[in-house]
Amino acid sequence: MQELHDAPLAPLTTFRLGGPATRLVTATTDDEVIAAVRAADEAGTPLLIIGGGSNLVIGDKGFDGTALRLATRGFALDGTDLTLAAGENWSEAVARTVEAGLAGVECLAGIPGSAGATPIQNVGAYGQEVSATITEVVAYDRRTGETVTIPNEECGFSYRHSRFKQHPDRFVVLRVRFALEDAGGLSAPLKYAETARALGVDAGDRVPAAVARETVLALRAGKGMVLDAEDHDTWSAGSFFTNPILTEAEHAAFVQRVQDRLGPDVAPPAFPAGEGLVKTSAAWLIDRAGFTKGYGSGPARISTKHTLALTNRGRATTEDLLALAREVRDGVHAAFGVTLVNEPVTVGVSL
């Protein structure tokens, strides 16, 4: 187990932002992870868990405590059952499942970060969410001091949310288990219209899983959502805001504000989100509120490829990023009465 003091955290995040940690510990086994967590808890030291760093906004002052970097490894495939160590690179794991001819996560290709973060956020994209294939999560319970196995139905999964996100100081994910599908090398039925259009098929159709993965990677790259050190549009956390979910009454008021502002024939995107709930598009809101691709004049700007990504153009600070995020959030609320919520986890700062 490696230990550093006054250690820079910015290089461990995809934003490349944030100050140092008082102490940085890198753990390569589950036992090392548990030992580091227990030591911090027993000493009353604040603890920050870092996986792939793709969903973190760390303040410029850094983190006064122990930052624990999960560098555990483990990819175990038993038929269609997959177990991943928390520190496994998610995008690489997806590629390996596709190479094995299995379906279920192929449309989650190219998402940066570690496997252990996927159940926390209930990671989803292009018509798939990990909650559809996760069978159980193995975690260290800081409250009881024990390692527990939590079945899917007890994970509290919902849109970009879970029991683990609701109680961020309780569970440390160690391993994630999935049940994939052997469809003879074909993908799961395609649910996302953009993916189906790009493939020239209908929603609900299956295509070779490798083709589905490659198509999603191309779509993501076109939006700056595949990491590339040379492309500042990828110096981000992907989608910075979640898609708002509105009650029917809130949605009706929202539609009226849209029509008042943009004209009676303009209909904002709307998708069913459960009984009495409607989901709309954060990217649409941002664009129609006047924050277009490339918006901004400072070192933090909206991506030139996708309005939902806020980016570090190379010289930004976390405060630069937050100032832009607040401007976008407040501008959308002023225009449409909808409050955007940040998807990345903030450390030492808030919107």
Side-chain angles (χ1 to χ4, degrees):
M1 188 159 54
Q2 183 187 65
E3 180 176 332
L4 299 172
H5 294 270
D6 196 27
L9 295 181
L12 302 182
T13 74
T14 53
F15 264 125
R16 294 170 170 81
L17 294 176
T22 305
R23 178 171 173 260
L24 173 64
V25 174
T26 299
T28 58
T29 68
D30 289 352
D31 286 344
E32 288 182 353
V33 172
I34 293 170
V37 173
R38 281 179 172 164
D41 288 347
E42 289 171 0
T45 303
L47 181 68
L48 172 64
I49 307 296
I50 300 178
S54 61
N55 204 46
L56 281 179
V57 177
I58 299 173
D60 292 318
K61 293 182 179 179
F63 182 71
D64 186 12
T66 296
L68 173 59
R69 179 171 171 262
L70 302 185
T72 54
R73 293 293 179 265
F75 178 104
L77 198 55
D78 181 9
T80 57
D81 294 329
L82 172 67
T83 300
L84 294 177
E88 276 290 326
N89 179 286
W90 173 252
S91 187
E92 293 176 3
V94 171
R96 293 177 68 178
T97 67
V98 171
E99 289 170 2
L102 299 178
V105 294
E106 62 281 354
C107 291
L108 301 177
I111 294 176
S114 63
T118 61
I120 297 172
Q121 287 290 115
N122 185 18
V123 165
Y126 295 95
Q128 290 183 341
E129 286 184 333
V130 292
S131 57
T133 51
I134 287 176
T135 57
E136 58 189 22
V137 176
V138 180
Y140 175 68
D141 186 341
R142 298 169 66 185
R143 181 181 299 175
T144 65
E146 298 177 346
T147 299
V148 295
T149 299
I150 304 172
N152 178 293
E153 58 270 21
E154 295 179 16
C155 290
F157 288 128
S158 59
Y159 173 66
R160 300 298 175 271
H161 196 69
S162 70
R163 179 182 182 185
F164 312 105
K165 188 173 182 178
Q166 184 176 1
H167 303 288
D169 296 327
R170 179 171 179 181
F171 298 104
V172 178
V173 175
L174 301 174
R175 299 191 173 263
V176 189
R177 298 192 174 115
F178 302 80
L180 304 178
E181 178 188 6
D182 185 350
L186 296 179
S187 69
L190 298 172
K191 295 181 180 180
Y192 202 68
E194 183 183 12
T195 313
R197 284 197 303 270
L199 287 161
V201 300
D202 295 326
D205 288 350
R206 294 177 185 261
V207 299
V211 173
R213 174 180 173 270
E214 290 163 4
T215 300
V216 166
L217 285 173
L219 290 171
R220 291 184 63 87
K223 300 173 183 177
M225 298 292 186
V226 177
L227 294 182
D228 180 351
E230 302 302 316
D231 182 0
H232 283 284
D233 279 336
T234 74
W235 290 33
S236 74
S239 299
F240 194 87
F241 297 104
T242 57
N243 290 322
I245 295 178
L246 310 174
T247 64
E248 290 179 348
E250 289 170 340
H251 182 252
F254 163 57
V255 170
Q256 185 60 58
R257 291 189 69 147
V258 168
Q259 294 177 345
D260 290 344
R261 181 182 178 90
L262 302 177
D265 297 328
V266 178
F271 310 94
E275 187 175 353
L277 298 174
V278 180
K279 180 166 65 175
T280 191
S281 166
W284 187 93
L285 286 165
I286 292 167
D287 182 72
R288 295 304 181 95
F291 303 101
T292 53
K293 295 174 184 177
Y295 177 88
S297 57
R301 303 180 193 177
I302 292 178
S303 166
T304 66
K305 300 182 182 70
H306 199 287
T307 54
L308 201 47
L310 307 188
T311 68
N312 170 12
R313 308 316 293 185
R315 297 177 292 102
T317 64
T318 300
E319 279 306 310
D320 292 328
L321 175 75
L322 293 176
L324 176 62
R326 293 175 187 127
E327 182 183 3
V328 172
R329 179 200 60 189
D330 295 347
V332 166
H333 186 270
F336 300 116
V338 175
T339 301
L340 296 178
V341 177
N342 54 291
E343 184 171 335
V345 175
T346 55
V347 178
V349 292
S350 65
L351 289 191

